[in-house]
Amino acid sequence: MEIQSNFIKTIMEEDIKNKKVDGIITRFPPEPNAYLHIGHARAIVTNFELARQFDGYTNLRFDDTNPVKEDSSFVDAIKEDIKWLGYTPNNILFGSDYFEQTYELAVRLIQKGVAYVCDLSQEQVSSYRGTLTEPGKESPYRNRSVEENLLLFKQMRDGKFKDGEKTLRAKIDMSSPNINLRDPVIYRIIHITHHNTGDKWCIYPMYDFAHPLQDSIEGVTHSLCSLEYVDHRVLYDWFVEQCEMPHIPHQYEFGRLNITNTIMSKRYLKQLVEKGVVKGYDDPRMPTLAGLRRRGYTSDSIKSFILSTGLSRINSTVSSEMLENSLRNDLVGKTKRVYAILDPIKLIITNYPDQTEAIDLEYNPENLELGSRILPFGKEVYIERTDFIEEKPNKHWKRLSLGIEVRLMHAYFIKCNEVIYNEDGSIKELLATYDVLTKSGSGFNERKPNGNIHFVEAKTALPATFNLFEPLMVDSDSDRDMMERLNPNSWKTVQGFIEPSVGNTFKGERFQFVREGYFATDYDSKEGNLIFNRIVELKSSYN
Ligand code: ATP
Ligand code: MG
C-alpha cells in the first residue's frame, strides 16, 4: 500500500518541480521519555513513506533536550518499534549531539543583541508574558549589555547558578499577538545527569530553539509535526533566520491521530504504567506499538491502517474498528485455522468406540501452502459451553440442545441425549450419540444438522490460557478523568483447550481459532503453560 495523495505530498511535488529543494529529507523526532504509541506511527509512516516516494531519506533524531524525563531505555524501545514497522533511518541522531553547536548559535544571538540572560523566575516569566488579550511586560533584564549577557551565559554553562536562577531568552516582541514570540526562553539550567552527555552540561536548549537548528544542520527539507506546533512555526523561522543558518528547512503541520476508547498521550500512558493499572508498556491492551505487537498486531496491519486514515490538517478520531479490520484483512489468508475451546464442557459420545480417529485437514483452505495437520477425533471431546443450551429456544438456535443433532465440524453428526450435572447444578458433561453414516466428506445428505460446532478431542487436547481483551477505556471522552474511564473488563483470562497441532507454537505466532478470533502466542507462553492473546474477534461487533 502506498501513501495516498495528501497536502504535504503536494507541497513536496511542487517544491521539487520549482527547484526549491533538490530532494526530500525528513526526520522523526521523538522525545525518549516514554514508549511510542500508534499516534506516533502516523508521524513515522508519514515521514518515511513520503521521503521514500521521492527517493529521499528520513533521519531518526531523539529530541533529548530535557534530561529530567528522558532515559536510554526509551531510546532502545523507540529504535525497536521503528525497526518493527519496517523502516531504517538514514541516520540515528540525538539532539544532544548538537549541544556544542546549539550553544555557539545562542552565543551568536547574544552578540547580535537578540538574546539576553534573564533573572526572572519561571512564575515571573509566566506572569510577565501577558495573555491572549493583553500584551506582555518587558523583563527588567531585557536591556543588559552584550558583554554582560555573554559573561552571564558563560557562567550559566560553567555551573555558577542554581536551577531556575537564570534563563537565556530570545528578544523578540513582548506585545506580539502570538504569545510564543514574547521573548521565549531558549536555555534553562538543569543540574542533572543526562543519559547521553552525562554531567558535561547543566544548561539545556528548549525544543523550540534546538529543533529548527537541528533540522537545518541535518539538511531536513520538510519538517513535519502535528498541529499543536502551528503557532510555533513563526518562531521556528525566526531562529533559522537569526542564526543565519545556511540551509533553510520548513515546518508543516498535520492533524493528530486519535482512536476511539483509547488514551493517546505519552503522559497518560506513563501514568497507567506507573500506577500499575496495566502490566507495563507492552501490556497487550496498551495502544503503544510494543503493546500492539505483544497483542499480536502485525506491522503491516498498522501501516495499512495508518495509510488508510490519510493525512489532513485537522485532528481526527478514528474508530478502533478500522484498526481491527486492518488486522483481519492482513491475516485472513495468512494464518492457520485451528481449533480451540475457550470455555469447555466435555461431551461423551456413548456409542463411539474407545479409540481415536485421525482427520487429515489442511490448515487454511484459502492458502494450501500452509500445509495440513491431523485433527484427532474420539469418544470424548470438548465443546464450547455457549454452543449448548438445554432446550432449543427458537428456530434461530443453530447449535446444540437436548434431542437436537448438529455436526461436529469435519467429523460426524451428533445428538445430545442427556445432561450430567455437578452438585451445584452447573453442567458437568453431556452424553451424546453419533451416526457413523454422517462422516464429513462421505456425501451423506439424507438429513441436515441443526448447525455446525467445533470441538477438540479430549485426550489429545492441550490445556491453554486465553487472554481476552476489551478496550482499556469505556468511552472516548478525554475531558473525563482517565481513572474513572477505565474499563473493569478490559482483561479477562479463561482456561480451555487447543488441538495438539498448536502445541509447538513459537512466541508471537498468530492463529485463527475457528469461530473464536485471531490469537497470538504470548511472550510468556511456554510448553506446559500455553498462553494466547486474542488480537481481535473474527467479526466486527459493530455490524
Ligand atoms: P504525546 O503528546 O502523546 O505525549 P508527543 O507529541 O509529546 O506525544 P513526541 O515524542 O514529541 O511525543 O512525538 C514525536 C512526533 O510524533 C512529533 O512530531 C509529534 O507531532 C508526533 N505525534 C505524536 N503523537 C501523535 C499523534 N497522535 N498523531 C500524529 N502524530 C503524533
Ligand atoms: Mg511533544
Side-chain angles (χ1 to χ4, degrees):
M1 202 168 166
E2 280 205 339
I3 194 156
Q4 304 161 7
S5 275
N6 61 58
F7 70 101
I8 295 179
K9 193 171 163 189
T10 307
I11 291 169
M12 290 176 167
E13 281 161 357
E14 295 281 308
D15 287 353
I16 288 180
K17 203 172 92 198
N18 300 330
K19 303 221 160 31
K20 267 175 79 177
V21 295
D22 295 333
I24 302 296
I25 302 176
T26 61
R27 88 288 169 262
F28 173 64
E31 186 176 359
N33 59 353
Y35 278 52
L36 297 181
H37 52 62
I38 187 160
H40 292 110
R42 170 175 281 180
I44 297 171
V45 171
T46 302
N47 277 297
F48 279 90
E49 292 292 339
L50 281 173
R52 177 155 73 191
Q53 284 265 307
F54 295 97
D55 294 322
Y57 65 80
T58 304
N59 287 342
L60 167 60
R61 185 199 313 135
F62 289 98
D63 162 33
D64 59 350
T65 51
N66 182 3
V68 179
K69 295 186 291 176
E70 291 151 10
D71 189 283
S72 50
S73 69
F74 298 129
V75 169
D76 297 337
I78 291 171
K79 282 185 192 164
E80 188 180 340
D81 286 344
I82 293 173
K83 186 167 157 209
W84 179 63
L85 286 178
Y87 296 118
T88 310
N90 200 60
N91 298 292
I92 298 181
L93 302 152
F94 290 84
S96 53
D97 296 339
Y98 307 106
F99 279 169
E100 194 64 51
Q101 265 164 297
T102 314
Y103 177 82
E104 297 300 333
L105 290 165
V107 168
R108 186 180 306 175
L109 294 186
I110 297 174
Q111 286 164 339
K112 290 176 75 167
V114 294
Y116 61 96
V117 172
C118 180
D119 297 6
L120 294 182
S121 68
Q122 203 180 341
E123 296 72 44
Q124 287 170 317
V125 168
S126 308
S127 76
Y128 274 58
R129 190 171 289 134
T131 63
L132 283 174
T133 49
E134 278 169 50
K137 212 166 73 184
E138 292 190 353
S139 159
Y141 306 98
R142 200 171 197 259
N143 296 312
R144 275 178 163 150
S145 69
V146 169
E147 291 66 38
E148 190 184 2
N149 280 320
L150 286 173
L151 178 69
L152 288 171
F153 189 46
K154 175 81 175 53
Q155 289 177 335
M156 280 170 66
R157 176 183 183 160
D158 291 344
K160 296 276 189 306
F161 307 111
K162 291 202 280 290
D163 288 11
E165 223 178 298
K166 290 196 168 21
T167 55
L168 184 71
R169 297 175 67 181
K171 194 193 265 188
I172 310 182
D173 180 2
M174 286 310 289
S175 56
S176 169
N178 182 340
I179 294 182
N180 294 303
L181 295 182
R182 296 185 188 168
D183 290 10
V185 170
I186 59 180
Y187 261 93
R188 63 225 194 282
I189 301 170
I190 308 174
H191 290 273
I192 195 171
T193 305
H194 185 279
H195 78 103
N196 243 2
T197 55
D199 295 321
K200 176 153 185 230
W201 293 89
C202 62
I203 54 168
Y204 292 92
M206 300 299 288
Y207 175 89
D208 278 337
F209 176 58
H211 199 77
L213 306 183
Q214 296 159 358
D215 282 347
S216 173
I217 295 167
E218 289 175 20
V220 168
T221 55
H222 297 75
S223 179
L224 314 182
C225 58
S226 40
L227 278 184
E228 68 271 26
Y229 294 101
V230 168
D231 287 341
H232 297 240
R233 194 193 321 128
V234 212
L235 192 52
Y236 183 101
D237 293 339
W238 191 89
F239 285 126
V240 171
E241 192 191 329
Q242 292 296 328
C243 292
E244 296 167 38
M245 300 306 287
H247 169 77
I248 302 176
H250 291 281
Q251 175 183 305
Y252 301 93
E253 310 85 14
F254 56 80
R256 284 174 89 89
L257 170 69
N258 295 298
I259 298 181
T260 52
N261 295 46
T262 305
I263 291 270
M264 198 85 96
S265 158
K266 285 203 268 194
R267 190 157 61 94
Y268 292 117
L269 295 177
K270 208 177 171 83
Q271 279 179 31
L272 291 175
V273 172
E274 283 166 3
K275 290 188 169 149
V277 172
V278 295
K279 299 181 184 180
Y281 278 106
D282 70 348
D283 184 302
R285 295 166 295 178
M286 288 281 269
T288 51
L289 294 175
L292 291 162
R293 179 161 68 237
R294 181 165 192 164
R295 172 105 164 224
Y297 270 90
T298 59
S299 53
D300 280 351
S301 66
I302 293 195
K303 275 203 275 193
S304 64
F305 164 72
I306 296 290
L307 291 173
S308 67
T309 64
L311 198 66
S312 76
R313 279 198 185 93
I314 44 169
N315 294 332
S316 57
T317 300
V318 175
S319 164
S320 55
E321 297 288 327
M322 251 179 97
L323 176 61
E324 295 183 355
N325 264 328
S326 177
L327 182 85
R328 293 185 190 105
N329 292 339
D330 188 28
L331 292 190
V332 65
K334 287 188 192 159
T335 44
K336 294 176 178 172
R337 293 182 189 170
V338 290
Y339 293 97
I341 298 292
L342 274 48
D343 183 9
I345 347 179
K346 191 177 263 185
L347 180 137
I348 301 167
I349 304 167
T350 50
N351 62 341
Y352 191 85
D354 263 330
Q355 64 182 51
T356 56
E357 186 172 332
I359 303 170
D360 195 346
L361 201 60
E362 65 267 13
Y363 274 121
N364 184 337
E366 286 175 33
N367 181 355
L368 298 180
E369 279 176 20
L370 292 172
S372 62
R373 87 291 194 182
I374 297 298
L375 179 72
F377 180 72
K379 191 179 179 76
E380 297 191 357
V381 299
Y382 293 112
I383 64 164
E384 207 54 77
R385 193 169 291 273
T386 49
D387 279 342
F388 177 76
I389 203 163
E390 283 170 64
E391 208 171 311
K392 181 172 171 169
N394 55 45
K395 66 177 192 310
H396 302 296
W397 178 255
K398 291 291 174 211
R399 291 174 262 171
L400 192 62
S401 314
L402 267 175
I404 296 283
E405 199 176 38
V406 295
R407 177 192 295 287
L408 292 178
M409 288 176 172
H410 305 289
Y412 300 91
F413 291 10
I414 52 133
K415 186 196 243 172
C416 184
N417 306 310
E418 195 182 337
V419 183
I420 312 283
Y421 298 94
N422 290 310
E423 274 175 16
D424 66 1
S426 60
I427 296 177
K428 181 170 178 233
E429 51 199 28
L430 305 174
L431 303 184
T433 45
Y434 86 120
D435 179 351
V436 71
L437 299 177
T438 59
K439 185 164 181 165
S440 188
S442 68
F444 178 85
N445 64 2
E446 278 159 42
R447 323 186 284 281
K448 287 245 174 303
N450 184 55
N452 292 292
I453 64 171
H454 67 290
F455 68 92
V456 293
E457 194 277 323
K459 278 204 194 91
T460 51
L462 299 172
T465 300
F466 303 94
N467 295 323
L468 310 178
F469 307 110
E470 284 184 20
L472 254 182
M473 299 290 142
V474 291
D475 60 31
S476 307
D477 183 0
S478 55
D479 292 335
R480 282 217 303 146
D481 179 5
M482 174 177 77
M483 298 308 281
E484 284 169 17
R485 294 171 56 208
L486 290 173
N487 177 358
N489 304 316
S490 61
W491 185 315
K492 189 171 145 199
T493 296
V494 297
Q495 300 292 335
F497 295 96
I498 50 168
E499 61 165 272
S501 77
V502 183
N504 31 17
T505 175
F506 55 88
K507 288 170 192 180
E509 189 180 9
R510 302 174 184 90
F511 298 93
Q512 184 190 121
F513 289 154
V514 175
R515 299 177 68 219
E516 313 282 4
Y518 287 106
F519 286 73
T521 311
D522 188 68
Y523 302 166
D524 289 339
S525 181
K526 51 179 184 285
E527 214 185 313
N529 185 20
L530 296 166
I531 306 172
F532 299 92
N533 296 326
R534 180 151 69 193
I535 322 171
V536 295
E537 293 185 52
L538 291 182
K539 288 209 184 74
S540 157
S541 49
Y542 218 53
N543 302 325

